[in-house]
Amino acid sequence: MKKMNVESFNLDHTKVAAPFVRLAGIKEGQNGDVIHKYDIRFKQPNKEHMEMPALHSIEHLMAENIRNHTDKVVDVSPMGCQTGFYLSLINHDNYEDVLSILEKTLNDVKHATEVPACNEVQCGWAASHSLEGAQALAEEMLSKKDEWNIIYQADAE
Ligand SMILES: [Zn+2]
């Protein structure tokens, strides 16, 4: 296959074993600041996906809560294929710590009583939300925490 500009376009999605947390890229700025970008995959590509209201709510919940656990977050954003999220952190390169931050954040989601900012002032599609759906996703992800560091099917066997 032709080498693509986008890192994940060079990933063979048929070979991965979701859920997982994968370092997808490192960018260094001219002043030495470093951004690590992680692929946080909830669902097995082309086999499963997250429904939009649940994905949208877990996006709001993770974006808001993860910042209580680290001040290094640049962005948390959903993948268009609805199978996961990208997490970008600045000047933070400890993979085990990323897993721990994610675990704490998903526990926050599990115990949330409302979706933050799901109204027409603070969100672009406030009608499309599901707290229950988001919590089911968090629950499922947390139940497989032991597998987050296994990225490829070949390593899972
Ligand atoms: Zn929104």
Side-chain angles (χ1 to χ4, degrees), residues 56 59-60 117-118 122-126 128-129:
H56 188 188
E59 178 214 347
H60 276 225
C118 68
Q122 295 175 291
C123 171
W125 191 9
S128 179
H129 277 284

Side-chain angles (χ1 to χ4, degrees), residues 44 132 137 145:
Q44 184 64 25
E132 299 73 28
L137 290 171
K145 204 204 158 230

Side-chain angles (χ1 to χ4, degrees), residues 68-138:
N68 293 331
H69 303 298
T70 172
D71 63 355
K72 305 297 185 196
V73 174
V74 176
D75 188 42
V76 185
S77 45
M79 297 173 182
C81 60
Q82 298 170 229
T83 62
F85 294 85
Y86 284 112
L87 168 65
S88 296
L89 298 170
I90 188 162
N91 297 333
H92 181 291
D93 67 353
N94 185 323
Y95 178 81
E96 287 303 319
D97 197 43
V98 171
L99 300 188
S100 149
I101 289 166
L102 180 63
E103 181 181 20
K104 287 178 199 159
T105 303
L106 292 174
N107 271 309
D108 296 335
V109 175
K110 228 173 96 172
H111 298 111
T113 53
E114 59 177 16
V115 178
C118 68
N119 59 70
E120 292 191 5
V121 174
Q122 295 175 291
C123 171
W125 191 9
S128 179
H129 277 284
S130 169
L131 175 60
E132 299 73 28
Q135 290 176 322
L137 290 171

Side-chain angles (χ1 to χ4, degrees), residues 133-146:
Q135 290 176 322
L137 290 171
E139 196 100 46
E140 184 189 13
M141 190 69 174
L142 284 167
S143 75
K144 294 179 180 167
K145 204 204 158 230
D146 292 353

